[in-house]
Amino acid sequence: MMEFAHKKNVKVISLAIAALMVIGVFVLAIQGRNLGGGDATMNSAIGKVNYNQVMASAPGLADAQTQLQQAAEDSRKEFEEKSKDMNDADKQKLAQEYQKKLQDKQKEVLEPVKKEVDDAIVAVGKTKGLTVVVNQGAVVYGGVDVTTDVQAQLKKAKK
């Protein structure tokens, strides 16, 4: 008889421990949600910016475009000079080399302008308390438009 009572006590204690664990997991889940686990996306401020418009008005873009146009013109002249006695396959290969050089030049010239724009977006986002700023084209609904603020930040940073 003693054995039966002992087994019954073990079952009761096991069920009590399991119940406490379930309750503990439930409480932790609720606390985690209140600490930002579930509410962070609901309370976050999202900004949107028209990146193309900001880039078009960025200081330094005109100089970058002038440099790229000059590089393209120089490449075209050099290509015409080097390729006049080449067959079509060699001309195509040379054209690809010049195109690669122009792409590298474009990246080199535009990268500082893009960095300035990105830095201005981050600065405006921090100033306005935004947690995320996305390109306006990706937004279907909502978001705070910070395009003019970013443009103003760029002008202020250039002074």
Side-chain angles (χ1 to χ4, degrees):
M1 189 75 175
M2 189 68 158
E3 238 178 73
F4 181 74
H6 183 65
K7 285 183 180 179
K8 195 173 189 181
N9 286 341
V10 170
K11 284 184 179 180
V12 169
I13 291 173
S14 295
L15 286 174
I17 291 173
L20 285 173
M21 287 181 68
V22 169
I23 291 171
V25 168
F26 180 74
V27 168
L28 286 174
I30 290 174
Q31 286 178 343
R33 194 171 142 228
N34 290 337
L35 292 174
D39 291 343
T41 56
M42 295 173 93
N43 294 334
S44 66
I46 297 174
K48 60 184 178 181
V49 65
N50 186 329
Y51 198 84
N52 292 335
Q53 182 179 341
V54 171
M55 277 297 291
S57 66
L61 184 66
D63 293 337
Q65 288 175 330
T66 303
Q67 288 179 27
L68 288 173
Q69 287 172 348
Q70 186 62 47
E73 184 63 27
D74 293 345
S75 290
R76 185 187 62 76
K77 287 179 183 177
E78 194 174 321
F79 173 79
E80 287 175 357
E81 187 178 307
K82 285 185 174 183
S83 68
K84 57 182 151 178
D85 295 329
M86 292 182 167
N87 62 32
D88 287 343
D90 290 339
K91 281 183 181 181
Q92 188 175 10
K93 188 175 182 180
L94 186 63
Q96 288 175 346
E97 289 175 20
Y98 279 107
Q99 189 171 7
K100 173 77 169 108
K101 285 181 185 178
L102 285 174
Q103 287 173 344
D104 292 343
K105 181 71 173 176
Q106 181 179 16
K107 186 175 181 180
E108 171 191 326
V109 170
L110 290 179
E111 201 60 40
V113 177
K114 286 181 180 180
K115 184 173 179 353
E116 277 185 50
V117 168
D118 292 346
D119 290 347
I121 291 170
V122 170
V124 168
K126 286 181 179 179
T127 301
K128 293 198 166 274
L130 303 173
T131 56
V132 176
V133 177
V134 296
N135 192 358
Q136 188 171 357
V139 177
V140 175
Y141 173 78
V144 178
D145 191 355
V146 295
T147 303
T148 55
D149 298 318
V150 172
Q151 290 172 323
Q153 176 70 26
L154 282 168
K155 287 178 185 175
K156 188 171 93 175
K158 266 299 186 194
K159 290 182 181 180

